[in-house]
Amino acid sequence: MDSSKSIKADGFLIGVTEDRNKRCRRTMEDAHTVITDFNDVARQGFFAIFDGHAGKATAEWCGNHFHETLAECLNNPSSTSETVPEILNKAFLQVDQQVNEKEGKFSGCTAIVAYVQVKDDQRILYTGNVGDARAVLCRQGKAHRLSYDHKGSDAQEAKRITDLGGFMMNNRVNGVLAVTRSLGDSVMKEFVVGNPYTTETPLVEGDDFMILACDGLWDVCEDQAAVDLIKDIKDPQVASQKLLDHALANFSTDNLSVMVIHFS
């Protein structure tokens, strides 16, 4: 796949740009997934970014396999009344368990996952996240965040950790981890859970595009600023590169992965 070209698919136009950020990082620990016609349904999509820490093994495993676990959960619901957000939650917990049996003993990752479902001609966007990778929807030019930053600096999350018997030091769980939810990190699983924050958004006229990115972008760019930077750019590959360049120019110190998805 030519990384300088956007990916065209039924219902989507997608751009992905990534950069190790060599000024600050020796290795690239991010992974991403783009699947169109997801689960063999036209105009459905699965998009995800996994931001690894303490090595790239967990992020890489998730990049290769998360979509398989989600498809499995969607195709075999526990009951007819199980909702997609419930299924998404189940998939996150299953992936967390799978990865902890493999790579997760030593490494972990944050995750932002987006699933576009087609139901009776309507497309519905579902997102799930753990950690501080983020999804932002551009609706008529306005940024709508579809994720929640699970960080040690968040009072609600810090209370959850301390209530469980953990402690916060310098906004880090037990003085170690800056995120309070993740996949992997099995030694901290008692506190750093894999339960995602989920959203459900019927896509409507005026929902132009969505940005998925790891915290390397969001540490140096507000949601609305990101939308404003690219809302007039028709090619999502050019748009994703522009956001990445903006992050580098504003001294982001992290690996960078940026995905821009147009709902064509």
Side-chain angles (χ1 to χ4, degrees):
M1 185 181 76
D2 181 353
S3 63
S4 64
K5 286 206 174 90
S6 54
I7 305 158
K8 281 186 179 154
D10 192 5
F12 302 103
L13 195 56
I14 307 137
V16 188
T17 308
E18 50 183 4
D19 192 285
R20 185 185 92 203
N21 194 354
K22 65 178 186 287
R23 201 174 52 203
C24 306
R25 298 284 165 144
R26 281 173 44 215
T27 56
M28 178 59 163
E29 296 181 336
D30 291 357
H32 67 269
T33 318
V34 172
I35 298 174
T36 55
D37 294 340
F38 175 60
N39 219 1
D40 299 325
V41 178
R43 297 174 68 240
Q44 284 197 162
F46 175 90
F47 311 100
I49 287 176
F50 304 100
D51 180 357
H53 46 256
K56 63 181 181 184
T58 294
E60 245 170 30
W61 193 92
C62 291
N64 291 328
H65 300 290
F66 192 113
H67 62 282
E68 297 165 353
T69 302
L70 176 59
E72 179 82 9
C73 291
L74 285 164
N75 297 338
N76 302 286
S78 304
S79 70
T80 49
S81 61
E82 196 173 31
T83 65
V84 175
E86 285 168 348
I87 291 169
L88 202 49
N89 184 64
K90 190 164 75 176
F92 264 83
L93 293 177
Q94 281 189 21
V95 166
D96 197 24
Q97 199 178 349
Q98 288 160 347
V99 92
N100 277 321
E101 287 161 9
K102 298 179 174 68
E103 281 74 15
K105 289 177 183 59
F106 308 105
S107 64
C109 70
T110 70
I112 178 69
V113 165
Y115 161 49
V116 178
Q117 183 192 53
V118 174
K119 202 173 180 183
D120 311 325
D121 281 348
Q122 165 75 51
R123 288 206 293 176
I124 304 161
L125 167 62
Y126 295 95
T127 65
N129 84 287
V130 289
D132 52 7
R134 203 179 282 177
V136 173
L137 175 69
C138 172
R139 176 168 277 181
Q140 293 180 324
K142 292 276 178 285
H144 292 266
R145 190 183 301 185
L146 301 177
S147 52
Y148 188 91
D149 287 352
H150 301 120
K151 284 176 149 165
S153 54
D154 180 78
Q156 204 177 321
E157 282 291 286
K159 182 180 184 314
R160 185 180 64 72
I161 302 289
T162 52
D163 285 352
L164 288 167
F167 67 92
M168 302 302 299
M169 191 166 79
N170 301 329
N171 287 335
R172 287 175 176 263
V173 182
N174 292 0
V176 179
L177 204 56
V179 291
T180 56
R181 299 188 188 208
S182 71
L183 301 171
D185 296 309
S186 67
V187 293
M188 309 201 53
K189 215 67 261 182
E190 198 183 337
F191 313 114
V192 182
V193 294
N195 294 77
Y197 172 85
T198 58
T199 67
E200 175 176 350
T201 312
L203 291 173
V204 294
E205 194 73 35
D207 288 344
D208 297 323
F209 61 85
M210 172 173 63
I211 304 166
L212 300 187
C214 61
D215 64 327
L217 172 66
W218 306 117
D219 283 347
V220 295
C221 188
E222 294 295 327
D223 299 6
Q224 188 61 50
V227 163
D228 289 344
L229 265 173
I230 64 166
K231 65 182 180 198
D232 297 324
I233 300 174
K234 293 283 176 271
D235 183 338
Q237 188 60 41
V238 175
S240 65
Q241 184 69 55
K242 178 152 188 162
L243 288 172
L244 188 136
D245 291 344
H246 176 81
L248 289 173
N250 284 275
F251 308 106
S252 172
T253 58
D254 207 346
N255 293 155
L256 288 154
S257 294
V258 182
M259 196 180 293
V260 177
I261 300 140
H262 282 235
F263 305 109
S264 54

